[in-house]
Amino acid sequence: MKEIKIAVLVSGGGTNLQALINAQGKVLKSGRIGLVLSDNPSAYALTRAKEAGIPCEAVNRKDYSSKEEFEGALIGRLTNCGAELIILAGFMRVLSEKFVKAFEGRIINVHPSLIPSFCGNGFYGLKVHEAALSYGVKITGATVHYVNEVTDGGKIILQKAVPVRESDTPETLQKRVMEKAEWIILPRAAELVCRKLLKTREVLK
Ligand code: GAR
């Protein structure tokens, strides 16, 4: 197979998932999405996956008594489908060291700021943009990075800057960062990592 099998983890609206779906066969040539998993059963991202004909499933944290059991369920599904790359696209849970080690070098995440600004525990979704506005930064952006055991601490793959406007609210800033940065760099970074993983696969043959 010439494509890397991608699994996407989501929690909400799934606009970044949509950007990946739209990029398949275009910017994203070396990978194909084979599974979408959501920790939130009512995530609109699941509808996007269904509409694109991609197998998807909700793995609800509430159905498990511990984080370890929940992650075990995720790992089971990811392993069964043969996922080679895991993309966190608006996945709002911090993964344990055990999970990260199980897929070392094979998990990437999109974050809505220029890391190392406005990142780490507690910085997710709109909160990131609220913090950027209250600090008064004039430039923000998005980052795609490898996931390691430190929240938002893995090596950076791609970044893109976006200007902040005087009139911005967290919502208008979020929209601009998504449109001008996240939806562009996430498919590009996915392609870069898939190409790299395909090379490793060839070496192992
Ligand atoms: C995106 O802005 C993503 O970068 C962010 O949540 C949003 C999800 O939107 N992720 C984080 O904050 C993770 N730390 P989406 O569901 O429409 O892709």
Side-chain angles (χ1 to χ4, degrees):
M1 223 213 300
K2 286 194 201 75
E3 283 165 341
I4 291 294
K5 190 156 190 180
I6 301 171
V8 185
L9 268 52
V10 295
S11 297
T15 64
N16 279 288
L17 168 67
Q18 192 66 55
L20 289 165
I21 292 170
N22 297 348
Q24 291 190 122
K26 296 171 193 145
V27 169
L28 180 52
K29 287 191 176 67
S30 309
R32 187 146 280 273
I33 306 167
L35 180 67
V36 172
L37 293 177
S38 172
D39 63 327
N40 166 15
S42 51
Y44 186 66
L46 288 169
T47 305
R48 294 181 190 271
K50 278 183 205 135
E51 280 174 0
I54 300 168
C56 62
E57 194 186 340
V59 180
N60 193 344
R61 172 66 181 86
K62 290 187 187 133
D63 293 340
Y64 300 89
S65 54
S66 66
K67 177 171 176 162
E68 200 174 357
E69 273 183 39
F70 166 68
E71 289 193 350
L74 290 178
I75 292 173
R77 280 152 181 86
L78 293 165
T79 314
N80 281 344
C81 94
E84 299 172 280
L85 173 65
I86 299 163
I87 302 183
L88 310 184
F91 186 65
M92 297 303 177
R93 290 189 184 274
V94 175
L95 295 166
S96 70
E97 191 171 343
K98 192 176 162 199
F99 186 104
V100 171
K101 287 262 156 68
F103 300 97
E104 204 154 16
R106 291 176 178 273
I107 314 175
I108 67 171
N109 176 51
V110 61
H111 183 78
S113 75
L114 293 174
I115 290 175
S117 291
F118 313 118
C119 64
N121 289 326
F123 286 99
Y124 57 87
L126 266 186
K127 286 179 194 287
V128 176
H129 305 293
E130 282 162 9
L133 288 177
S134 71
Y135 215 96
V137 293
K138 304 304 173 210
I139 292 169
T140 185
T143 304
V144 180
H145 62 93
Y146 283 102
V147 173
N148 67 7
E149 63 288 352
V150 180
T151 308
D152 299 324
K155 196 160 190 259
I156 290 170
I157 303 163
L158 287 178
Q159 287 188 307
K160 195 166 187 289
V162 172
V164 179
R165 291 193 193 136
E166 210 51 58
S167 59
D168 267 328
T169 62
E171 290 78 10
T172 62
L173 187 55
Q174 179 181 54
K175 185 167 180 280
R176 190 173 321 110
V177 169
M178 283 177 158
E179 288 174 356
K180 305 282 184 209
E182 295 185 47
W183 302 344
I184 297 166
I185 63 171
L186 183 58
R188 281 187 193 160
E191 173 64 14
L192 289 174
V193 176
C194 285
R195 273 191 215 163
K196 199 173 147 189
L197 291 174
L198 276 177
K199 276 191 191 145
T200 329
R201 215 205 232 165
E202 275 159 25
V203 170
L204 291 175
K205 259 197 275 180

